[in-house]
Amino acid sequence: LVDGGVRLFGCLSLVVFGVTGPLAYGLMLCAGPLVAALATGFAAAPPTGAIAPDVPSADAPIIGGPTTLGWRTLGRGLAWLLVASVLAMVLANLSGVLVTGLLPQQPLQAAGFTTALVLTRIPLLAMGPVQALVLPRLSAAAGLGEMAEFRKDLMKGLLLVGALGVVSLAGIAVLGRWVIGVLFGTAADTTGTGALVLLVVSAVMLMAISLLQPALIAIHQHSALVWGWLLGALLYAAAFALPLPALDRAVLAQLIGPAGTLLFHAVTIRRTAQ
């Protein structure tokens, strides 16, 4: 919540004060994680004189999991997560770069699409608080082997994502082009309302994926993260290979790429969390 809030309201403040330099916006984006880390550290620090909670010994068994976490297991899991993170960033952010390369003679249209892509990604900022609410319950339920509770909590999270998605779709359909014109100028208003709505649908799927990812980690399906993103990346690349106008290819890629990843992750969870 602190991370997204600092980045969102910080950048909006720069817009209000007429700041146009890219360095200021870059620093504001970096300030979000820094402030969030500091706030979390202070909140987690025990008060002076507090009694430390009982800590189980190294020999105590962990319910629902292995008794030790070896370096090989930790390294393998971290490697899967790093690859998944890279693929996720590619699917979420590469379209603007590709469209710019496909439209060298139409820089305004390419810039307008990139602007629309950034605007429609704003709902993703809400996923930090949602993950913070749902992840501890998912991990606890999976660790105790209470898969019915695990599925129940995951469904609650997905319903919350759906509600956020409905609000985002309504907002972009009614105010999307107006917001682009106000914040970025009329020259950036080159993306139709239909395309904006489809880009928000893509963002909602990415929100659902960001909720399923910690669920997969909780049930020790790290490799499924990568396979899901690989499937999405292949579909994404296939969309850009089609003989369609550049913007149509970009919007299609933003739809079928996350859709493939979301489907793979959802099927994995359904098969594993029984």
Side-chain angles (χ1 to χ4, degrees):
L1 181 61
V2 174
D3 181 9
V6 169
R7 287 189 287 177
L8 178 60
F9 292 107
C11 289
L12 288 177
S13 298
L14 294 179
V15 172
V16 170
F17 288 104
V19 179
T20 58
L23 178 60
Y25 285 90
L27 291 175
M28 193 59 68
L29 292 177
C30 294
L34 176 61
V35 174
L38 292 175
T40 303
F42 284 122
T48 304
I51 300 175
D54 293 334
V55 178
S57 67
D59 297 328
I62 301 175
I63 300 175
T67 57
T68 59
L69 183 62
W71 285 108
R72 177 179 296 182
T73 301
L74 181 62
R76 183 168 57 247
L78 180 60
W80 284 119
L81 293 178
L82 287 175
V83 174
S85 297
V86 170
L87 292 172
M89 287 188 289
V90 168
L91 262 70
N93 303 303
L94 187 61
S95 292
V97 177
L98 294 177
V99 167
T100 301
L102 290 171
L103 297 174
Q105 306 302 323
Q106 299 173 280
L108 290 179
Q109 192 173 21
F113 174 80
T114 303
T115 299
L117 190 63
V118 171
L119 178 66
T120 55
R121 290 293 178 265
I122 289 178
L124 287 168
L125 296 176
M127 286 310 298
V130 175
Q131 287 179 319
L133 288 172
V134 176
L135 178 56
R137 294 182 60 87
L138 293 177
S139 300
L144 295 172
E146 298 175 352
M147 303 315 295
E149 193 68 21
F150 175 90
R151 294 191 297 271
K152 180 180 177 181
D153 291 334
L154 182 58
M155 184 56 64
K156 289 180 180 178
L158 290 174
L159 289 175
L160 182 55
V161 168
L164 292 172
V166 170
V167 173
S168 300
L169 286 169
I172 203 71
V174 176
L175 300 173
R177 299 191 68 176
W178 176 80
V179 170
I180 289 176
V182 170
L183 294 182
F184 304 100
T186 55
D189 183 17
T190 62
T191 306
T193 300
L196 288 174
V197 169
L198 293 177
L199 290 176
V200 172
V201 172
S202 170
V204 173
M205 287 191 288
L206 290 172
M207 292 167 66
I209 292 170
S210 69
L211 185 64
L212 296 186
Q213 286 187 138
L216 287 167
I217 294 171
I219 57 177
H220 308 292
Q221 293 294 317
H222 298 70
S223 61
L225 289 176
V226 176
W227 293 119
W229 282 115
L230 281 174
L231 174 60
L234 290 174
L235 294 172
Y236 181 94
F240 267 102
L242 294 175
L244 297 172
L247 295 184
D248 292 344
R249 279 187 270 177
V251 173
L252 181 61
Q254 288 297 151
L255 286 172
I256 67 172
T261 301
L262 178 61
L263 179 62
F264 188 93
H265 289 174
V267 170
T268 301
I269 291 175
R270 181 176 178 83
R271 294 178 58 184
T272 306
Q274 298 295 333

